[in-house]
Each structure stands twice: as C-alpha cells, then as structure tokens.
Amino acid sequence: EYDFDAKLVSRLVNNQFLTVALQKVTQQNVPLYHKVAPGSYSIYNFDPQDRLLAYARHELHNQNEWLKRLSTTFSYQSSLEIRKTQKTGESVKTEEKDIADVYGLSFEIYSTPTGFWQINSGLEYYHDDIKSQTKSLSNNEQITSRGLYPDNSTFDNFGIYSLHSIDFKNWSIQAGARFNNYKLSIKDTTFGDVNLQPIAIAGNLAITYKLNDSFRLIGAVNNGFRTPNINDASSFGIADFRYEVPSTEL
C-alpha cells in the first residue's frame, strides 16, 4: 500500500483564497482472508484497489452582509477495484473490475444580515458514472459478462439548501430546508432497465432556551431522506457473507 495527500492554500488579491487538494490511496495484492483461509478459494485478491480525490475551491470574502463569503468548489473522485478469484480445484480464473467516477460542483453563500442572524445557503450537483465488467478465463478462452453493476450506469443528484441560525438573548433558533432532485439511469440487459427520478424535501427546526451557564432546554424536529442508489438497484453478486440481487422496484 502507498498513500499520499497534498494541499495548497493561496491568498489571492481582494480577499480571495484558492485551495487545491489531492488524496491518493493504492493497495495491491490484498487477499480476502475469509475466502482464502478456509480453502474454498485458492485466489481471492483485490489487485489493485485505488482511490483518488481532487478538489479546487475558490473563496471570496466580502464586507457585504448578504454576501459575507462565497465559495465555489469543483471535485473529482475516482475509485478502481479489481477482484481476481479462482476457486480451489477449478481452472476458471475470474477478474471483476469496477470503476466509479464522481464529478461535483457546489456553490455556498454565507450571510450575516444582522448581528444575531446567520445564513448558510447553497446549491450542489454530483454526477456518478459506473464502469463494470467481469472477465472469465478458462482453457485459454476469455468470456466477458455483466459485472457487479450494469456497465455505464449513471446517477445524478441536484440539491439546494438554506440553513438559518438566530441568537437573541437566551433564545437560539436553527431552521433549515433542503430540496433534492435525483436521476438514476441503469441499462441492464439481464434484469431490466431502471429509471428513477425521485425528489425530496427535508427540513429541521430546533429551539434552545438557556436557563443558566450549565442547563439548556432544547426542542427539535427533523426529517431526512435517502434515495435508492446504483448499488441498491443493481448490485448482483457475492458481498461479504451474502449474495446480493438487484432491487429494481425501490
């Protein structure tokens, strides 16, 4: 295994800042212990297993109360995993390959309209792209088939949010809302195509009253949402000690 990370923070003119960061993790020839040790598999290795994360963020600091800080972030994350397997006593060698690329773009605005009111608002967009396939080699004949996920699956996530914090004497109020729009597109010749476009609105409200320096009364209500992802709707194969099949009607 080898890993490295680096970050550069630069102050530009007119109260602007630029941050560039990079993280990298690589593992090679990693055996899956509970498959190899009992003897059911002579080979079960992750080779390689890679992760790359890179992002660039631009920040503008301003004296305007409604535009105190504006940040723009572009990110890219890539994950590569190859699983090489061969069952004990069998000649078939299998290589499963999964690549996940995630592109992200986000904008965030921090505002302080008054001394007791703070606002964090923004919008974000992420796009996931999946490449997946399986290769089997037997008697010098190679067969390519469906991978753990359908090849060329995509997942899009757009969100917009606003979080408000108000502090007045012994009272503190936090309230926020988020809207998300998703698009899941899977072209699967084995189990059938999946096209989902769920939307979600989630929010929170919390009120705090300070009795003294040691005690506070807090009341809060929150709700959340998690949309089905590519793994939920299309994963097909062995995962840990179970066998996953697609849930196409989530």
Side-chain angles (χ1 to χ4, degrees), residues 17-164:
F17 297 86
L18 178 65
T19 302
V20 180
L22 181 68
Q23 299 176 359
K24 173 71 171 177
V25 176
T26 296
Q27 295 177 318
Q28 296 174 327
N29 197 30
V30 182
L32 189 61
Y33 179 80
H34 70 267
K35 296 291 186 181
V36 178
S40 55
Y41 282 83
S42 58
I43 299 174
Y44 204 124
N45 291 344
F46 297 92
D47 186 23
Q49 193 165 240
D50 291 342
R51 174 183 175 268
L52 171 68
L53 170 66
Y55 71 86
R57 174 179 295 131
H58 175 268
E59 289 187 45
L60 172 62
H61 294 241
N62 204 323
Q63 298 301 319
N64 188 302
E65 291 84 359
W66 290 98
L67 192 62
K68 200 74 173 179
R69 185 177 67 246
L70 172 64
S71 66
T72 304
T73 304
F74 173 76
S75 62
Y76 168 71
Q77 184 170 214
S78 178
S79 172
L80 164 66
E81 183 176 279
I82 296 180
R83 299 174 296 279
K84 299 178 180 179
T85 63
Q86 183 178 15
K87 290 186 176 182
T88 301
E90 296 187 5
S91 60
V92 180
K93 295 182 179 180
T94 302
E95 180 179 293
E96 298 176 288
K97 181 178 182 180
D98 300 320
I99 302 176
D101 292 318
V102 183
Y103 304 87
L105 179 63
S106 65
F107 301 94
E108 185 175 56
I109 298 175
Y110 174 69
S111 308
T112 55
T114 66
F116 58 85
W117 182 18
Q118 302 176 45
I119 307 173
N120 276 87
S121 302
L123 57 89
E124 57 193 18
Y125 172 73
Y126 291 94
H127 173 78
D128 298 15
D129 187 49
I130 302 295
K131 305 293 184 184
S132 182
Q133 68 174 8
T134 298
K135 294 181 179 179
S136 299
L137 181 62
S138 178
N139 299 323
N140 295 323
E141 181 182 0
Q142 181 174 285
I143 301 175
T144 301
S145 59
R146 184 195 195 275
L148 181 62
Y149 311 104
D151 197 27
N152 296 318
S153 299
T154 60
F155 183 69
D156 295 278
N157 175 10
F158 171 78
I160 184 170
Y161 61 90
S162 185
L163 177 65
H164 299 251

